[in-house]
Amino acid sequence: MPDAPRKRAILKKTEAESTATEAGPSFWTTHLSTKGQVVIPEQIRKDFGLRPGDEFVVVALNDLVFLKRV
C-alpha cells in the first residue's frame, strides 16, 4: 500500500490548513444568461477568493466544462 502514508499525512492537517482545492467536490446550481454569462455561486467565490476582473481559461471535455483562474 504505497498510498497509505500520504493519506495519513493528509488526515493530520488541521481544518485551518485545508483549502478549498483540497476539499471534496461541492455541487451548486446556476444558470446561463441570454448573454452567455454564468453566475459563480457566492460561497465558491469566497472560498477561492474570486474577484471581479479575474480571468479564466475555459476547458471543455466531453460533457464537462471547467473554469481555471489564470
Side-chain angles (χ1 to χ4, degrees), residues 2-68:
D3 291 336
R6 183 172 182 259
K7 287 181 183 178
R8 277 195 291 270
I10 290 171
L11 292 175
K12 289 181 182 178
K13 285 188 174 186
T14 65
E15 189 173 320
E17 293 174 315
S18 296
T19 65
T21 56
E22 292 175 340
S26 58
F27 299 88
W28 304 82
T29 59
T30 190
H31 66 276
L32 181 69
S33 75
T34 57
K35 295 181 179 182
Q37 298 166 322
V38 175
V39 174
I40 299 173
E42 182 180 13
Q43 189 60 51
I44 292 175
R45 294 191 314 264
K46 286 181 179 179
D47 289 348
F48 286 87
L50 302 178
R51 303 280 182 246
D54 284 353
E55 292 188 22
F56 296 85
V57 171
V58 180
V59 179
L61 177 63
N62 300 320
D63 65 341
L64 300 173
V65 178
F66 298 92
L67 294 177
K68 170 70 174 137

